[in-house]
Amino acid sequence: MAETKEKSHSDEKPKPRVRPIVRLGIFLVSHSFLVSVVCFTSGVLALFLLPVLAKNTYISENALMPGSASPMLSNHHVSDGNRLVKDLTNSNLKSSETGIESHKIIAKYMLDVGAEVSFHKFHPQMNQFHPLHFFSSPDSGKIQENCSCSSYGINTVGIIRAPRGDGKEAIVLVTPYNALTSSFGEVLSLGIAYSVFSLLTQVTWLAKDIIWLVVDSQFGEYAAVSAWLREYQTPKFSSHSTLNAEMCPDINYLFEIKVHSMAGSKFSNSFRRAGTMTAALVLKVRDQSEQFDDTVSIYAEASNGQMPNLDLINVVNYLAVHRQGLRVNVEKLWSLLNSGWLKSLGEIFESLATIAKSLNPKFKFGIPATEYVEGIATLASSLYYQALGVPTGPHGAFRDYQVDAITLEISPKFSLDKVWCSDILLRGGRLIEGVIRSVNNLLEKFHQSFFLYLLTSPSKFVSVGVYMIAFALLIAPLPMVAASLYVDANSSKGDSSFLFAITDTDEHGITIRSWRWLNSAKSVFIVHLWGAIVSLLPYFICQIPDCSPTTSFMIWVLLSILSLLILNLVLASPLACVKASQEKEWALVKSVTISSVFIGLGLMSVINFATAEIGALLMVPMCLLARPLKLDVRVGTLRSCCRIICNLVLGHIAFPPAAFFLFKGMLDGFGSANVGDFWMWVESLWAWNSATYLFIGMVQLPCWVLCVSILFHSC
Amino acid sequence: MFYLGGFIVGGRLSADSSALCSGSKWHVRLVGRSGGPNVTSRIGSDYPYRSVGLQEMKMLYARQGSESDEKSAMLLKAQADFLESSTSYYAPEWSFPPASGNLRYGTLPREAVCTENITPWLKLLPCQDKAGISTLLDRPSIYRGFYLSQRLHLTLTGSGYEGMDLSIILEKTLTVVLQPNSQRASLVRDSEKHIQPSWSLSSIFGNQVGGKCVLAETSNVYLLLDRDRIFIEESSLLSKNSSVLYKFEVEKYSESEPFDLGLTWKILVVWLCQQAPLHASRFLMGSGNERGAIAISLKSTQTTEGFMGAHSNDERCELRVDVFQVVPWYVKVYFHSLQVFVDQQPKAVSDIIEKIHVSPSKDKVSPGVMELVLKLPCSVSSTALTIEFDKGFLHIDEYPPDANQVFDIPSTIVSFPNFHASMVFLENHSLNKSPLLSKFQEKSHVMSYTEVLLVPLTTPDFSMPYNVITITCTVFALYFGSLLNALRTRVTEEESFLKDKGSIIFIIFIHHPTISEEFWFERKLKGDHNQPPQTKFVMVCCQENWSATSAAVKVVGKDNR
């Protein structure tokens, strides 16, 4: 990235010379309008160029060696899996009121192949408000006092000890299963896992222990997985909840049966462990499918935009595509696929690439327009799910403990009947076997490949070094504009040619003027304080019993407005009179706002990059364009009219609820939008400890309020 | 004289051999297994290693110069050089009762499996693996096993002042757990219905023993069968824990008629080895790169009711448990955070712990050690000890080459002094002279080795030095460049330049940061109108060149004037 700046002077007047770097800064600040336009457009352009710049994925860790061994899963193991599927579907017919029967069947099957089996009882934890939880590691959870016997789940855990391994590491295979309302897909996923499991008890190459976790998903898959992980990683030795569960007659009955029938076997009542977890795979089978091929969907996003190591996705992708002939999918925003403007943008890029290629055949960066549109759709969803900070599946629970995990969802081409069952069992099983085998090859922990990336297709990625450019370009104008506004407001005449001339006015006036920004900084601080209060309010609102989302949202809005007014009255009013004398007050406020937004975005980019990226797309133009409407109306030129329109549009879009509804409407159509939806969305954000929530509350909302106040500034 | 003894216990086989080296003569001494039958760890390749003062040993070798001593020195070098650093061994105070004080204990928690691992160990045997029982030690078949443990036990006997009585006893133990049948699939599949697979030495090891090593005094293979499990019907008069021992003397066999021992099972035998009263396991708690906790969980095994029953007559029946834990220095254990839970109830540490000896780690000098004596009620069903630690930061050259393989904490030793792992044999008179067997009949504490733990430490991106160098070089170049530039120019000079109406053009090319930052300065000075403008290009690589630059520029300026 070569940056060339040239500046020449041929002034007649001798002036004290300034250092080149300062001169460069002055040049940039004085041309801040041009610079910000150029930077912002190039930032947006860079964002849209990402699918073109995406690189093909490659297996970075040599030890993985995916697909180098031929799969050992045979029809024999598939028939094992089929037996389990048959038994489970039958048992569902027999006793559907309790899921215990099917858990017993699974445990029996696990014992049959020689695995260690234990049950893990858990109580689902209520979602709690942890405003700063994303900074800390997950705690062991609170002990709930009054848990009834009915509200517990049972995870069945089977562990194969690697015969020649040292038992220090383990690979986890998770299959969610709801015994009460088990769909055929869930049962089939159990069948796949079992066929792999029965193979793995016999193989000699196993170096890491295998944990098969059949997760009771009646309280949600994530809750069950995280409960098991909590017990695994941060157990409570003095717990009452397990005692309570022990007392329930139901589960005692279950254990008695086990202990009697398998005397001297590997069944154990206590929680079983197996070393440090290397990787985890969550396996699901979708019931119905509208795909043209047998597909594997990969879900990887964990909380706060954390991603598993790219190698894990690469291995799955490689094995699924090149060995098992499955199509691999990653999430896409489907609504973007049909958009015409993206297609034309893709065509423009494509034609540019062909022109470049005709000039020099070495230039090969073009991709077909359809591929481009797909890349953008995938990239958008990758950004969206990372920005949301909510995990896309139960694998997210593993990432909280720094375990690389992904969810694989297999959706068969045909509807699931018995005929196609074996085919899916064989291919899915071989895929899982291959992935486990290559993770088993690992000598080190996953560290070779990327952790910060965006996917543009299952086999293409944009690494952090590339996608950071777009963000850097987006926020680059902010400090310059802030500086130029500050200088502008401080200079007496506001003429940019005299910006840096030290005038001969009295020093007293200069000092007063140079401290004027403190006043605006105070008002900006008040608004940010208000933002913090607003983001804490839901904690109190959700304590109100029997509150529908809509009313909660209304209460929230009312309280927020009220608190803003109160804060304004208490803190801002005594000094508000100073403002009247300052005609350039709004410029100073804008300058401080922009700097605070810059700081906020910079901080957020460290915590969750995607949030910062999307936030920058919304907030940067709003901050840069904000200008009192009165001034623009007074001028009345075409340019100011455009600015008024832009300001009004951005002022609406950048308001967090409005942005949410707009986005939701784009995805699902506007008909279903409901005011309460936003509350639910916010609730889910803080339930998942998403940093996005804090970002919205403490950066975006104050910024919007400040910009709106600038728009309606009376100058 | 040299004794070789192989010991087969049910499905297990342990080939034990011992030698005492004093001068160039091989004396006979004894070997035993470390914890009786209760070594319950699942460690693939570990060295429960004890040596008597390594430094003393080295001095000793320096004094004597015989061939066998050189061999022993070689052995120490080959097998125990990891003990040379003081960070890896420790002198326990009272965890190993017979030899407390002057004992050094060190373990190597991990060793990559390689067929040559056992070679230095074998080299010490008089016949190596060329003759005798050690021909059984076919590397592929050994490393196919579930468990492998090499052990060296060096003890000094005698006063040592005269040099006459001083002798070093070297005990070498190799413990392997092998699977009888390579076709494990069929075993697993029908484990409930069929009897255990039959085996023979040749099927397990792929080798047969063709006579004894000529240097060995005796060379025996023992087969131990659990009496009360198998011969219940015929041994009603015998005591409970006795076993049947078969002795096979290898010297009776020769190359032409090799020794091959095999068992063909007719009935189903469920082999249950004697278990420690508490099952010890250890695991890590917490996640992340900052801190964590080690938890040692002791759970009572169901088969120990007999043990407990013996003591339960007392009102205050107590079970003594010794815990010996060594942690490397980079795991900074907070010993005050020790918590004890008995039967899921938190207990005050002073109630449970009778004696504690703690030696905190010193960074890069010595490991942290914790020795505990717990007094637990006999009726205890579960006990948990937790202790918190911080993960240290290592200096970049302290990382091993495979730093991302994560660091290991050696296993904890949980021993039960009230319980003894000794074997009772039926007829002692014929076996008395075998040191191997008398060692087995000695009373020794039951010891459990827990799992090795994997602690993920923060590992730097090892390409970081490169990045740091480039960034600091850039910063330094910018800083010194501008500083020297500021120092160089004089205000009066500049003013005179400006009066000369000289205009300056700066062209700065900033390349993408690489190690050397290049600044191209073109300084163009306009002289009189009739003179053609003079141009000067100076390339600046480092700050050393700056003075040259300024000199050159100055010269140009003077010329112009």
Side-chain angles (χ1 to χ4, degrees):
Chain A
M1 185 176 57
E3 193 182 331
T4 312
K5 293 289 167 195
E6 184 176 331
K7 184 162 166 68
S8 67
H9 272 283
S10 54
D11 293 345
E12 266 69 51
K13 261 193 277 177
K15 272 199 311 181
R17 234 181 73 215
V18 195
R19 303 273 134 246
I21 193 121
V22 180
R23 193 182 287 225
L24 187 69
I26 289 168
F27 173 78
L28 288 177
V29 168
S30 57
H31 295 78
S32 65
F33 175 74
L34 191 69
V35 169
S36 54
V37 168
V38 168
C39 277
F40 185 76
T41 45
S42 57
V44 175
L45 195 69
L47 195 61
F48 280 103
L49 266 176
L50 286 184
V52 183
L53 299 171
K55 283 191 284 187
N56 283 328
T57 54
Y58 55 94
I59 309 284
S60 184
E61 171 70 86
N62 288 328
L64 283 170
M65 298 191 292
S68 55
S70 52
M72 295 168 75
L73 192 93
S74 62
N75 285 322
H76 178 69
H77 305 110
V78 168
S79 66
D80 278 359
N82 260 328
R83 260 193 307 131
L84 177 68
V85 170
K86 211 175 289 171
D87 277 9
L88 281 178
T89 41
N90 287 345
S91 81
N92 272 332
L93 298 175
K94 264 195 298 187
S95 62
S96 55
E97 71 274 8
T98 57
I100 284 180
E101 196 60 38
S102 42
H103 281 291
K104 258 192 271 183
I105 290 171
I106 296 165
K108 196 181 153 301
Y109 268 82
M110 284 178 180
L111 284 169
D112 278 351
V113 291
E116 293 176 14
V117 181
S118 65
F119 289 111
H120 169 239
K121 298 146 286 172
F122 67 96
H123 294 278
Q125 269 199 319
M126 291 295 111
N127 287 330
Q128 272 143 2
F129 183 77
H130 302 291
L132 291 174
H133 199 284
F134 65 95
F135 285 129
S136 61
S137 54
D139 57 358
S140 52
K142 286 190 181 118
I143 301 163
Q144 289 173 2
E145 298 305 324
N146 40 4
C147 298
S148 64
C149 278
S150 56
S151 70
Y152 65 85
I154 305 170
N155 295 335
T156 315
V157 187
I159 299 177
I160 305 174
R161 306 283 176 191
R164 283 160 207 170
D166 41 15
K168 290 189 289 194
E169 289 171 288
I171 304 169
V172 189
L173 180 61
V174 182
T175 45
Y177 175 64
N178 189 350
L180 299 179
T181 60
S182 66
S183 60
F184 190 64
E186 276 183 340
V187 175
L188 204 57
S189 73
L190 283 181
I192 294 175
Y194 180 71
S195 54
V196 176
F197 200 66
S198 68
L199 165 77
L200 291 177
T201 50
Q202 297 161 30
V203 293
T204 50
W205 44 258
L206 213 56
K208 296 176 166 66
D209 295 349
I210 305 291
I211 305 175
W212 178 22
L213 181 64
V214 180
V215 145
D216 192 349
S217 60
Q218 53 175 318
F219 304 108
E221 295 158 1
Y222 185 93
V225 174
S226 71
W228 180 78
L229 276 169
R230 214 180 300 122
E231 181 69 28
Y232 196 98
Q233 297 278 9
T234 55
K236 280 260 180 233
F237 292 106
S238 59
S239 65
H240 303 285
S241 54
T242 52
L243 282 179
N244 282 350
E246 252 17 295
M247 278 184 264
C248 301
D250 222 8
I251 199 146
N252 277 349
Y253 166 71
L254 172 69
F255 287 137
E256 266 167 39
I257 291 242
K258 284 291 144 207
V259 172
H260 282 302
S261 62
M262 328 279 178
S265 72
K266 293 169 168 177
F267 178 82
S268 115
N269 247 333
S270 57
F271 192 83
R272 293 244 183 177
R273 284 192 171 73
T276 314
M277 286 178 267
T278 320
L281 293 173
V282 183
L283 180 67
K284 290 188 203 173
V285 177
R286 200 184 287 166
D287 280 324
Q288 71 277 18
S289 63
E290 354 27 275
Q291 306 292 333
F292 307 107
D293 276 320
D294 294 339
T295 357
V296 180
S297 308
I298 299 177
Y299 300 89
E301 288 86 0
S303 58
N304 282 319
Q306 299 181 81
M307 298 291 278
N309 198 293
L310 187 58
D311 266 346
L312 192 59
I313 295 176
N314 290 347
V315 167
V316 172
N317 181 45
Y318 178 84
L319 287 173
V321 172
H322 297 290
R323 290 290 179 271
Q324 302 309 322
L326 297 162
R327 244 170 61 110
V328 176
N329 247 347
V330 283
E331 279 277 284
K332 277 180 205 149
L333 288 187
W334 295 100
S335 52
L336 284 182
L337 280 183
N338 303 322
S339 66
W341 62 277
L342 274 179
K343 209 166 281 175
S344 49
L345 194 65
E347 276 156 11
I348 290 169
F349 284 136
E350 194 182 355
S351 55
L352 278 178
T354 47
I355 291 167
K357 200 172 179 182
S358 65
L359 290 175
N360 186 348
K362 280 180 187 169
F363 292 143
K364 284 177 198 161
F365 54 81
I367 55 169
T370 49
E371 202 178 308
Y372 174 80
V373 173
E374 282 202 8
I376 278 281
T378 319
L379 182 79
S381 98
S382 197
L383 262 178
Y384 171 70
Y385 285 108
Q386 286 190 27
L388 209 57
V390 176
T392 46
H395 59 268
F398 284 96
R399 192 63 233 175
D400 293 343
Y401 296 91
Q402 279 85 44
V403 179
D404 294 298
I406 49 172
T407 298
L408 302 179
E409 193 174 60
I410 299 175
S411 42
K413 180 165 47 173
F414 302 98
S415 61
L416 292 168
D417 53 7
K418 305 285 190 258
V419 185
W420 293 101
C421 214
S422 305
D423 180 52
I424 283 297
L425 278 180
L426 187 70
R427 288 164 80 189
R430 284 189 169 169
L431 171 66
I432 300 292
E433 183 212 334
V435 175
I436 286 181
R437 186 154 193 179
S438 40
V439 174
N440 181 64
N441 286 341
L442 265 187
L443 290 174
E444 308 179 327
K445 62 184 178 189
F446 273 112
H447 72 284
Q448 278 281 355
S449 197
F450 293 92
F451 284 98
L452 301 168
Y453 55 88
L454 295 166
L455 289 174
T456 60
S457 87
S459 61
K460 283 197 159 189
F461 76 104
V462 189
S463 79
V464 58
V466 177
Y467 69 62
M468 241 174 58
I469 296 171
F471 179 71
L473 284 171
L474 279 182
I475 64 164
L478 291 181
M480 289 168 210
V481 172
S484 103
L485 279 170
Y486 174 74
V487 172
D488 212 10
N490 269 359
S491 66
S492 49
K493 291 176 186 173
D495 191 346
S496 62
S497 65
F498 290 95
L499 273 183
F500 310 105
I502 294 173
T503 51
D504 296 330
T505 51
D506 56 326
E507 287 193 3
H508 182 66
I510 290 172
T511 41
I512 288 181
R513 221 178 296 143
S514 62
W515 287 104
R516 264 188 342 190
W517 65 274
L518 271 182
N519 199 35
S520 10
K522 194 199 68 179
S523 55
V524 170
F525 172 73
I526 288 168
V527 176
H528 277 269
L529 189 71
W530 170 76
I533 292 170
V534 168
S535 28
L536 283 175
L537 280 177
Y539 176 63
F540 302 105
I541 295 171
C542 70
Q543 310 276 354
I544 304 168
D546 306 328
C547 222
S548 73
T550 314
T551 45
S552 301
F553 182 61
M554 289 305 171
I555 294 170
W556 193 21
V557 170
L558 283 176
L559 281 177
S560 306
I561 293 168
L562 200 68
S563 58
L564 182 61
L565 290 177
I566 291 170
L567 268 179
N568 245 340
L569 282 175
V570 171
L571 291 169
S573 55
L575 296 167
C577 49
V578 182
K579 187 169 66 179
S581 65
Q582 311 295 339
E583 58 178 26
K584 287 275 187 174
E585 168 73 15
W586 68 269
L588 275 177
V589 171
K590 184 177 167 182
S591 157
V592 179
T593 308
I594 285 175
S595 2
S596 73
V597 165
F598 179 68
I599 294 168
L601 283 175
L603 280 179
M604 195 59 207
S605 72
V606 179
I607 297 166
N608 188 346
F609 185 86
T611 312
E613 177 89 56
I614 293 177
L617 275 180
L618 280 175
M619 286 156 65
V620 169
M622 180 175 67
C623 287
L624 293 183
L625 285 173
R627 190 181 158 87
L629 291 175
K630 268 189 186 173
L631 283 182
D632 277 338
V633 171
R634 232 180 276 159
V635 175
T637 57
L638 185 66
R639 189 175 145 182
S640 59
C641 280
C642 286
R643 189 152 54 201
I644 290 171
I645 293 164
C646 284
N647 268 329
L648 286 176
V649 170
L650 281 170
H652 282 100
I653 289 176
F655 183 48
F660 167 75
F661 285 118
L662 199 71
F663 197 78
K664 199 170 149 52
M666 261 168 34
L667 285 183
D668 314 334
F670 287 93
S672 62
N674 181 11
V675 186
D677 287 348
F678 184 70
W679 174 261
M680 306 241 283
W681 182 71
V682 164
E683 209 170 39
S684 79
L685 279 188
W686 58 254
W688 292 104
N689 305 318
S690 174
T692 309
Y693 173 71
L694 282 190
F695 173 78
I696 289 172
M698 297 175 63
V699 180
Q700 193 177 1
L701 189 66
C703 164
W704 177 80
V705 169
L706 286 166
C707 285
V708 168
S709 75
I710 290 168
L711 285 187
F712 296 103
H713 195 273
S714 56
C715 47
Chain B
M1 286 182 289
F2 186 71
Y3 275 71
L4 279 178
F7 215 91
I8 303 169
V9 185
R12 304 172 178 201
L13 180 136
S14 58
D16 300 330
S17 54
S18 75
L20 168 101
C21 44
S22 165
S24 57
K25 246 177 135 190
W26 291 93
H27 286 296
V28 179
R29 273 310 138 107
L30 241 256
V31 213
R33 288 178 296 165
S34 56
N38 296 309
V39 186
T40 55
S41 56
R42 291 181 57 247
I43 307 149
S45 160
D46 77 334
Y47 287 78
Y49 183 93
R50 297 188 212 169
S51 74
V52 182
L54 207 68
Q55 303 300 321
E56 296 164 38
M57 296 293 284
K58 278 183 179 164
M59 271 169 60
L60 229 127
Y61 294 131
R63 216 153 14 125
Q64 303 172 348
S66 65
E67 192 190 344
S68 62
D69 287 335
E70 275 166 21
K71 270 194 166 180
S72 295
M74 257 168 52
L75 159 109
L76 277 177
K77 216 167 161 43
Q79 296 209 327
D81 56 351
F82 73 94
L83 287 177
E84 279 178 1
S85 152
S86 66
T87 54
S88 53
Y89 69 83
Y90 180 74
E93 292 288 315
W94 29 260
S95 282
F96 302 95
S100 52
N102 55 359
L103 184 97
R104 303 290 179 275
Y105 177 88
T107 63
L108 180 67
R110 175 184 64 204
E111 189 180 47
V113 174
C114 165
T115 51
E116 292 306 310
N117 284 350
I118 205 172
T119 308
W121 189 91
L122 277 175
K123 273 188 174 173
L124 270 166
L125 297 176
C127 298
Q128 301 196 359
D129 57 346
K130 302 290 189 288
I133 301 177
S134 50
T135 48
L136 286 178
L137 301 179
D138 172 44
R139 316 304 166 65
S141 44
I142 287 175
Y143 286 106
R144 205 181 290 144
F146 293 122
Y147 179 85
L148 174 78
S149 160
Q150 286 164 263
R151 182 162 171 263
L152 298 170
H153 195 163
L154 291 143
T155 39
L156 281 168
T157 58
S159 58
Y161 290 111
E162 297 299 314
M164 293 292 288
D165 297 322
L166 181 73
S167 56
I168 307 159
I169 303 164
L170 167 64
E171 296 175 10
K172 302 180 65 183
T173 313
L174 180 73
T175 312
V176 274
V177 178
L178 295 170
Q179 49 195 344
N181 198 341
S182 57
Q183 294 296 315
R184 196 165 162 260
S186 61
L187 164 77
V188 167
R189 190 138 297 282
D190 306 309
S191 59
E192 296 292 322
K193 295 158 205 161
H194 288 71
I195 56 170
Q196 61 275 18
S198 305
W199 57 267
S200 68
L201 281 186
S202 53
S203 77
I204 290 177
F205 291 105
N207 266 339
Q208 289 171 330
V209 183
K212 69 163 192 169
C213 168
V214 275
L215 287 171
E217 192 171 83
T218 63
S219 186
N220 295 329
V221 172
Y222 299 98
L223 175 69
L224 180 76
L225 291 171
D226 201 358
R227 175 111 203 162
D228 55 335
R229 307 275 168 198
I230 299 169
F231 303 104
I232 297 166
E233 61 276 10
E234 46 178 274
S235 64
S236 53
L237 63 156
L238 300 169
S239 64
K240 198 187 170 192
N241 283 324
S242 63
S243 313
V244 181
L245 190 75
Y246 297 93
K247 178 181 172 186
F248 302 92
E249 289 180 6
V250 178
E251 51 199 312
K252 290 177 186 165
Y253 300 88
S254 64
E255 286 291 341
S256 55
E257 193 195 347
F259 169 67
D260 189 13
L261 176 65
L263 280 183
T264 310
W265 295 99
K266 294 270 168 66
I267 52 165
L268 176 69
V269 173
V270 180
W271 181 270
L272 282 177
C273 67
Q274 183 193 5
Q275 278 186 311
L278 298 174
H279 177 261
S281 70
R282 190 178 59 161
F283 52 89
L284 276 185
M285 287 162 57
S287 64
N289 284 326
E290 196 185 356
R291 56 174 65 97
I294 300 172
I296 300 169
S297 134
L298 303 167
K299 290 210 168 104
S300 84
T301 47
Q302 289 163 342
T303 52
T304 56
E305 276 146 21
F307 284 103
M308 298 301 180
H311 295 274
S312 60
N313 296 332
D314 296 328
E315 281 299 304
R316 285 180 49 75
C317 163
E318 281 182 330
L319 174 69
R320 188 180 151 186
V321 181
D322 290 3
V323 178
F324 176 65
Q325 166 83 64
V326 181
V327 281
W329 65 266
Y330 41 79
V331 174
K332 298 182 164 80
V333 174
Y334 293 117
F335 291 102
H336 74 274
S337 65
L338 182 71
Q339 280 181 300
V340 184
F341 300 91
V342 176
D343 291 334
Q344 299 191 331
Q345 297 302 316
K347 288 277 161 84
V349 170
S350 54
D351 292 352
I352 298 298
I353 293 174
E354 193 183 63
K355 210 159 104 176
I356 183 167
H357 172 247
V358 160
S359 140
S361 61
K362 280 183 203 144
D363 277 9
K364 296 158 203 179
V365 176
S366 65
V369 175
M370 182 175 71
E371 291 173 84
L372 296 175
V373 174
L374 307 178
K375 284 275 185 195
L376 299 173
C378 282
S379 56
V380 66
S381 69
S382 73
T383 309
L385 302 168
T386 63
I387 189 158
E388 289 167 21
F389 63 83
D390 267 4
K391 296 177 181 178
F393 287 102
L394 274 73
H395 194 258
I396 191 154
D397 53 9
E398 284 158 4
Y399 283 99
D402 50 354
N404 281 300
Q405 198 169 356
V406 199
F407 293 81
D408 302 71
I409 298 181
S411 50
T412 310
I413 299 171
V414 179
S415 58
F416 304 94
N418 301 351
F419 294 86
H420 299 287
S422 62
M423 293 180 182
V424 182
F425 302 118
L426 292 177
E427 297 160 30
N428 280 342
H429 60 273
S430 65
L431 300 164
N432 269 345
K433 59 180 176 182
S434 166
L436 182 74
L437 294 179
S438 59
K439 179 79 179 178
F440 276 122
Q441 293 177 49
E442 261 178 25
K443 282 198 167 184
S444 59
H445 294 175
V446 171
M447 288 165 114
S448 296
Y449 290 83
T450 62
E451 299 95 332
V452 171
L453 286 184
L454 274 189
V455 183
L457 291 187
T458 38
T459 44
D461 176 5
F462 288 101
S463 65
M464 200 54 136
Y466 169 76
N467 299 333
V468 170
I469 288 168
T470 48
I471 285 177
T472 43
C473 279
T474 312
V475 170
F476 268 85
L478 282 173
Y479 172 71
F480 280 108
S482 50
L483 181 75
L484 287 171
N485 199 14
L487 287 174
R488 168 189 74 83
T489 45
R490 292 187 201 116
V491 180
T492 50
E493 222 172 81
E494 283 195 22
E495 278 169 357
S496 68
F497 283 165
L498 289 165
K499 273 171 196 162
D500 287 348
K501 296 178 185 175
S503 74
I504 301 152
I505 294 174
F506 281 95
I507 299 178
I508 307 169
F509 292 92
I510 300 172
H511 287 265
H512 184 64
T514 51
I515 285 184
S516 68
E517 200 63 58
E518 294 177 9
F519 291 87
W520 284 85
F521 279 74
E522 181 188 335
R523 183 155 185 173
K524 189 176 175 185
L525 295 157
K526 274 186 190 167
D528 295 337
H529 294 290
N530 50 5
Q531 277 184 359
Q534 295 177 6
T535 20
K536 187 96 184 167
F537 287 94
V538 184
M539 182 180 132
V540 186
C541 280
C542 258
Q543 78 266 22
E544 285 92 347
N545 291 353
W546 272 97
S547 53
T549 318
S550 54
V553 171
K554 266 180 199 165
V555 166
V556 172
K558 273 174 190 168
D559 283 354
N560 277 337
R561 245 178 266 162

